[in-house]
Amino acid sequence: MFFNPSVINVSFPSIQAFSPIALWSPPLARSVASRSSTETMQVCLCMTITLPIRVFVYGTLKRGEPNANVMTETEGQHRFLGTGRTKTPFPLIVASKYNIPFVLNEPGKGYQVEGEVYEIDDVKLKVLDDLEAYPTLYWRQIESIVMENNTEISAWIYLMRKWRPDIYESATPMMSNYSSKGSHGKEYVSRYIRAKEMLDDPNYNLHADIQGGDPSDPVTKAASHAKAVEDAKNQAQCHPTKVVYHGLQ
């Protein structure tokens, strides 16, 4: 559950009724104690104002994978809920010049994809959208996820809804569980290395490499360039912010 500060009016019939506040906020408890027992005052409490957002990750965002720090060391809140698998089979492959893992939106083909489920806030969702170049490269949609205890939940998943016709010929075989150092032999190329190479080579079009189409198309070239600039900018941030709220990190 995620919290945001909200100011509310509270009427105190007795100080003793609010003694549990001291367990988490001694300054607030002292403030309450200094007021009249019948006085109405404004107190800054942590109130739930939005439902958490669930996201299912299956590639480089998983724990121990190359982009795991994007989940843990960037702005926004996150909480690990557990591992699970997609209820519907999808093709999970590794492809492109830079060995990027992705799921193709071809339900019923491949395997149930294994991954991790997180609860995040809208700030973290924006961070993930930027990482995945949503909506120009990856698409995001709700899918049913079967958790390790066999309960079923709904969560966002990033996948490709458009790909080049020969993608399977140049990709790894379909898999159910991804690891950058897996037996497929296509270790993920750091997005920072990729960004530098893409900025040095204006003719390379990441979107066309994955989605197909004319590599010289100005629209997809602009989107590809924007992705490289975003990744280079992220690398330049020397002190990523690690946010911790009430035990969530």
Side-chain angles (χ1 to χ4, degrees):
M1 184 176 295
F2 295 97
F3 303 94
N4 286 305
S6 176
V7 175
I8 61 172
N9 288 324
V10 182
S11 180
F12 297 100
S14 68
I15 298 302
Q16 289 75 15
F18 284 83
S19 59
I21 293 176
L23 296 176
W24 61 270
S25 181
L28 181 56
R30 289 194 296 271
S31 174
V32 170
S34 68
R35 302 289 182 136
S36 165
S37 61
T38 58
E39 181 180 358
T40 298
M41 59 180 292
Q42 284 195 323
V43 181
C44 182
L45 297 178
C46 290
M47 302 296 293
T48 303
I49 61 172
T50 57
L51 292 175
I53 301 164
R54 291 182 181 137
V55 61
F56 175 79
V57 300
Y58 55 82
T60 63
L61 283 166
K62 293 192 301 182
R63 294 173 299 175
E65 296 299 331
N67 288 324
N69 67 310
V70 177
M71 184 69 76
T72 61
E73 298 178 4
T74 58
E75 292 182 326
Q77 303 177 48
H78 78 283
R79 179 169 61 185
F80 176 73
L81 287 187
T83 59
R85 64 189 186 278
T86 58
K87 182 178 181 180
T88 302
F90 286 96
L92 167 58
I93 59 175
V94 179
S96 85
K97 177 181 177 180
Y98 295 106
N99 299 336
I100 300 173
F102 45 81
V103 161
L104 302 180
N105 192 13
E106 199 167 2
K109 187 172 183 176
Y111 306 96
Q112 289 178 289
V113 177
E114 299 175 28
E116 300 172 351
V117 178
Y118 291 85
E119 282 185 346
I120 61 174
D121 62 1
D122 55 353
V123 176
K124 184 70 73 178
L125 183 64
K126 176 62 168 61
V127 170
L128 299 184
D129 282 349
D130 289 343
L131 174 71
E132 308 291 13
Y134 166 82
T136 63
L137 186 59
Y138 284 84
W139 183 247
R140 170 162 55 81
Q141 65 190 40
I142 295 288
E143 288 292 335
S144 294
I145 306 299
V146 180
M147 301 298 287
E148 54 192 334
N149 62 1
N150 287 322
T151 59
E152 189 174 321
I153 66 169
S154 296
W156 288 108
I157 180 175
Y158 291 91
L159 41 68
M160 294 290 171
R161 60 176 179 173
K162 180 181 179 182
W163 54 89
R164 55 192 300 170
D166 62 347
I167 194 75
Y168 288 110
E169 298 173 18
S170 58
T172 62
M174 291 179 286
M175 61 189 77
S176 61
N177 192 7
Y178 169 81
S179 172
S180 176
K181 296 184 180 297
S183 59
H184 51 74
K186 289 183 175 288
E187 185 172 352
Y188 178 77
V189 178
S190 164
R191 61 195 177 110
Y192 302 131
I193 295 174
R194 182 179 72 208
K196 182 180 184 306
E197 291 187 1
M198 288 172 62
L199 292 174
D200 288 342
D201 180 8
N203 293 319
Y204 178 73
N205 184 332
L206 177 65
H207 287 57
D209 189 8
I210 295 173
Q211 297 176 338
D214 184 358
S216 64
D217 174 66
V219 175
T220 56
K221 279 193 71 174
S224 180
H225 178 76
K227 172 60 176 166
V229 169
E230 178 69 21
D231 286 339
K233 181 181 72 174
N234 288 338
Q235 184 186 28
Q237 295 174 349
C238 300
H239 303 287
T241 302
K242 186 173 183 178
V243 181
V244 179
Y245 293 101
H246 304 286
L248 306 180
Q249 56 178 328

